[in-house]
Amino acid sequence: MVQYNPWQRFSTRRRFSALYTHRAPLVLPNAWDAASARVVADAGALAIATTSAGVAWSLGHGDGNRLSREQALGAIARITAAADVPVTADIERGYATDPAGVAETVRGVLAVGAVGINIEDTLRPVAEQAERIAAARRAADETGVPLFINARIDTHRLAPGDRTAWLEETLARAYAQACADGIFILGTWDSETVRTLVDKAPVPVNVLAGPSAPSVSELAGAGVARISAGSSIAEAAYGLVRRAARELLEKGTTTTLEGGFDYADLNALLLAEPGH
């Protein structure tokens, strides 16, 4: 795998952190391979987040911690090599059963050039997940790179209940004491709930954009610091594959393919060096 020098990683991490401002949220259209990363960067993204679901699907696996550490790091390496903007990597549960394994994964993530991670708690006991996040922080600090740790809180998996109880449980899992830099909340939440969460959370809040979610401007108005597409762009891409294939096979037509990325333009984008 490509090795990046510590100063390059540190400089890129500072660029990534600088994107967190009070003026506007950091908007991240998630990528899942080198080509999607290049397209996202070319569209004007200031940083790229990977989607573990999209990465898994692109490698022929289902989502849900089905990848090996080596497979995940290989995908992250290809994305960082293709992009000329900072990359934050979704490492699911850390591809490890214990904190030491999470630390090993983080060292691998940094070695291939990513400057941030998402790590999910899957509703583990708070103390247990805090140990895993703290191990990630120590591993990064040992390399001299201030990794941006975005802690995904999986309270969207809880049975529907009252809003107050959900907020209390979510805030109890903010992991600030374990040196998380931000929290990531899944699900579709109304602007009022998001605003309350932002006001009470000890670190910046990341939420999802996508079908049925509030718009970027609404989420920005609620004080959200980071907005991610998650797997939704990959889902849309594979949805297009299915619709186009069915149309061709069942009707013999190709109208679904209208408006696609022009071959010459896409090929030129991939032939160019990142940043050119």
Side-chain angles (χ1 to χ4, degrees), residues 117-243:
I117 60 167
N118 273 20
I119 183 167
E120 60 197 60
D121 69 4
T122 60
L123 297 182
R124 291 176 187 273
V126 173
E128 183 179 326
Q129 183 66 3
E131 289 180 7
R132 296 166 73 86
I133 292 172
R137 171 63 67 215
R138 288 192 299 272
D141 288 349
E142 288 167 3
T143 70
V145 180
L147 180 73
F148 194 102
I149 300 177
N150 204 33
R152 195 181 98 177
I153 298 174
D154 290 334
T155 43
H156 65 285
R157 299 184 178 188
L158 296 173
D162 69 85
R163 175 172 168 271
T164 300
W166 176 84
L167 281 167
E168 289 177 353
E169 180 64 22
T170 300
L171 290 167
R173 293 175 171 274
Y175 302 114
Q177 77 282 4
C179 299
D181 297 292
I183 56 172
F184 184 25
I185 311 299
L186 274 65
T188 301
W189 313 110
D190 62 272
S191 296
E192 181 183 351
T193 299
V194 172
R195 186 176 293 105
T196 301
L197 181 62
V198 167
D199 289 342
K200 294 181 177 295
V203 291
V205 175
N206 177 193
V207 298
L208 280 176
S212 302
S215 68
V216 167
S217 60
E218 289 176 292
L219 292 172
V224 168
R226 173 169 163 171
I227 301 170
S228 306
S231 62
S232 60
I233 296 176
E235 291 170 37
Y238 290 120
L240 173 62
V241 173
R242 180 170 66 178
R243 292 193 303 277

Side-chain angles (χ1 to χ4, degrees), residues 65-116:
N65 221 59
R66 304 299 178 90
L67 296 179
S68 67
R69 178 188 290 138
E70 290 71 24
Q71 287 175 312
L73 291 178
I76 296 165
R78 291 187 289 275
I79 289 169
T80 58
D84 61 339
V85 295
V87 173
T88 178
D90 182 346
I91 62 169
E92 302 191 72
R93 303 169 197 170
Y95 305 112
T97 58
D98 57 19
V102 172
E104 184 64 26
T105 298
V106 166
R107 285 189 283 270
V109 167
L110 293 171
V112 299
V115 295

Side-chain angles (χ1 to χ4, degrees), residues 241-256:
V241 173
R242 180 170 66 178
R243 292 193 303 277
R246 285 180 174 174
E247 181 190 357
L248 183 60
L249 292 169
E250 296 171 5
K251 298 180 180 180
T253 57
T254 57
T255 57
T256 303

